[in-house]
Amino acid sequence: MQTFTLHTHTVGFDGANTIAEMAASARAAGFSVLGVSNHFIVHPDITRARMYPHAVRGGYDAIYLDSFDRVMEKFRPHYAELRKFQSDTDMRILCGMEVDFFPTAWWRDGFLRAIDELHPDYVIGSSHFVYYDDNLCNVHDMANATPDVRDKMLQMYWDKVAAAAASGLFTWIAHIDLPKKVGLGRDEKWCTAENRALDAIAAAGIAMEINTGLYKPEIYEPYPSARILRAAAAKNIPVLLSDDAHKSCQLGRHFDDAYKFARDCGVTNFATLHNLLDFSRKTI
Ligand SMILES: [Zn+2]
Ligand SMILES: [Zn+2]
């Protein structure tokens, strides 16, 4: 079973626990390596997105930033704290980030400058937004749109995932079918779009996560769905388990079930830590 957990969030971003609390729980849960991957979300229009006032009310707006200067102000002391913590523990601590990909030259430039200074051990590519009609829209905005607009947004979502994979910037792709969170994209008609994204992942030689954050009694399935995971297995895409822990008690959640689910879908290529850090050296 996987002895590392790399998709986690801590206090100061949108997590509930400190690095020390996360490390203690990870060790107690049997992990020898903890990677911390707080959100790296930069877009000039983010503060006028529909979701932004909800984030302010919920107290997690600190993860949504409109400039690279501001994201660096957060990540510089955060990585210094992680590296200081590493020097005081025998557990292996890695510096990661969960990055929202945006397909513009401005974004790519700023991102490359940021990682050049921060030197993360790995970067997770994610897509929590699509830019539709001059607005940054999340999956809830997609769910609230008219059927016609919703389909356009979903198509944009999948195109953006494919572009993220093809960008060569990421170690692996997070929660690939995120719109499933609000019940979207389950229809067979999305197979073509899903397959294009998987082909981009396979061509880039990067990995994909099975994210156990979605397991709930009413939807007992991770991201991605069995349909996507079977297609990924057929393309021999390396897979890792991620708990997306925002609290220390969520570390390693449902890993046994997710591992079995992956095996049942035909996955045999489970990424090792060595593989992942190796991809990372090539991509970052
Ligand atoms: Zn995420
Ligand atoms: Zn996450």
Side-chain angles (χ1 to χ4, degrees), residues 7 9 39 98 100 126-128 174-175 178 209 211 244 246:
H7 186 157
H9 300 274
H39 288 286
E98 180 182 4
D100 264 73
S126 70
S127 189
H128 296 92
H175 42 60
L178 185 67
E209 72 177 15
N211 184 311
D244 206 348
H246 284 71

Side-chain angles (χ1 to χ4, degrees), residues 82-101:
L82 278 169
R83 286 172 176 141
K84 162 91 178 56
F85 187 81
Q86 173 67 97
S87 66
D88 298 335
T89 178
D90 56 359
M91 193 169 181
R92 189 156 180 209
I93 305 292
L94 295 173
C95 296
M97 48 172 74
E98 180 182 4
V99 178
D100 264 73
F101 173 73

Side-chain angles (χ1 to χ4, degrees), residues 225-227 229-231 233-234 260-267:
S225 66
R227 175 173 81 202
L229 207 47
R230 277 191 223 103
K260 185 176 178 306
F261 179 75
R263 297 296 306 227
D264 289 347
C265 290
V267 174

Side-chain angles (χ1 to χ4, degrees), residues 136-148:
L136 277 175
C137 301
N138 67 10
V139 293
H140 300 286
D141 298 320
M142 286 187 203
N144 293 332
T146 60
D148 189 41

